[in-house]
Amino acid sequence: MTQDFWLERWTHGEIGFHQPQGQPLLQKHWPALDLVPASRILVPLCGKSQDMVWLAERGHRVTGIELSDIAARDFFAESGLDYRRISRGPFMAYAGERIEILVGDLFDLAPAELARFEGFYDRAALVALPEDTRRAYVDHLMSGLRRGATGLLITLAYDTSLMTGPPFSVDDEDVGELYGRYAHVDLMAEQRGLAADDPLRQRGLTDARDSVYRIVRR
Ligand SMILES: C[S@@+](CC[C@H](N)C(=O)[O-])C[C@H]1O[C@@H](n2cnc3c(N)ncnc32)[C@H](O)[C@@H]1O
């Protein structure tokens, strides 16, 4: 998946992955991570996710990383939050009071920057990436995150004969293989089924499984 693929999706408003009401699995399972309110939370490949507002309302300081400046601008406009644009190394930072979005490539975030975060949240990030990039993504995140850093990961698995990604199907075994070398991985919950209005139905899926993991960097 090239950067142009995603930038064009944003230019043409083809963002069926966006959840205007936020992600219920985050709201249900995040509290069990026991991260203190002041924790700094990384949201890789954040899009314009309203989940960042929910995390900030819990007291966290939130940093999203996103390729598209349309996503960053829309996020602040739709959330009604003020921001300043500041150039920061390879990124353009859209900096609000408790939430900032760094516009640029996640792979340009240096390990020393990653080390600032106590927590992370991944919904539709790992599964947005094809297999080879997925491994590079996990290696990159884990190369910088500190020991004890704790994340919530939400994945999607489905019958790959019915649809090709993104989102790509990522199952338990994949998560264990990718993260197991670096972190303790606990499956917290699983949820089967697709809502009647889920856009993935139009692409041929009739069923899917969402899985929620706690990932703790060793
Ligand atoms: C499937 S969307 C998910 C967005 C968000 N997590 C959500 O739940 O709505 C994946 C996002 O990752 C962004 N993206 C893809 N590759 C990226 C990269 N290398 N660095 C930063 N953002 C990237 C895309 O622009 C897109 O907005």
Side-chain angles (χ1 to χ4, degrees):
M1 231 91 277
T2 62
Q3 297 196 356
D4 284 347
F5 169 86
W6 290 108
L7 295 175
E8 280 169 27
R9 298 279 298 259
W10 281 101
T11 301
H12 299 300
E14 293 162 2
I15 53 166
F17 52 80
H18 178 61
Q19 299 181 307
Q21 309 307 326
Q23 169 53 253
L25 291 171
L26 167 71
Q27 301 176 15
K28 183 164 178 198
H29 296 289
W30 184 263
L33 264 47
D34 269 341
L35 282 157
V36 297
S39 307
R40 282 156 300 194
I41 308 300
L42 175 69
V43 184
L45 283 59
C46 63
K48 58 173 182 175
S49 172
Q50 279 302 303
D51 295 334
M52 292 189 281
V53 175
W54 188 88
L55 289 166
E57 285 171 355
R58 309 272 84 65
H60 300 310
R61 301 194 72 86
V62 180
T63 298
I65 315 283
E66 169 55 49
L67 277 177
S68 164
D69 67 339
I70 297 175
R73 270 190 277 123
D74 285 0
F75 170 80
F76 282 101
E78 292 169 16
S79 311
L81 299 171
D82 291 332
Y83 67 93
R84 290 179 304 138
R85 283 173 91 243
I86 309 157
S87 173
R88 198 179 305 159
F91 296 96
M92 177 58 73
Y94 286 63
E97 197 188 334
R98 302 200 72 83
I99 303 173
E100 64 176 1
I101 297 182
L102 303 182
V103 172
D105 186 346
L106 172 81
F107 291 99
D108 288 335
L109 194 66
E113 289 286 311
L114 284 161
R116 293 191 300 122
F117 298 100
E118 286 96 10
F120 66 99
Y121 170 57
D122 175 329
R123 180 259 159 190
L126 182 68
V127 300
L129 302 170
E131 195 175 351
D132 51 341
T133 320
R134 233 177 275 153
R135 181 168 293 280
Y137 164 86
V138 172
D139 290 347
H140 184 65
L141 275 188
M142 293 289 119
S143 73
L145 287 176
R146 58 171 82 176
R147 194 187 163 98
T150 301
L152 192 82
L153 165 67
I154 301 176
T155 58
L156 175 76
Y158 56 82
D159 178 348
T160 53
S161 68
L162 296 177
M163 188 186 97
T164 53
F168 295 95
S169 180
V170 174
D171 64 18
D172 262 356
E173 201 181 321
D174 299 325
V175 172
E177 253 177 45
L178 289 164
Y179 276 106
R181 290 176 296 148
Y182 301 107
H184 299 289
V185 178
D186 294 322
L187 177 63
M188 300 172 79
E190 283 186 310
Q191 184 173 286
R192 276 207 89 93
L194 270 187
D197 60 350
D198 193 306
L200 296 180
R201 283 190 182 275
Q202 286 162 20
R203 292 174 56 190
L205 279 198
T206 51
D207 194 15
R209 198 180 71 237
D210 289 309
S211 301
V212 183
Y213 300 89
R214 180 199 284 112
I215 309 279
V216 182
R217 180 77 172 98
R218 282 199 294 267

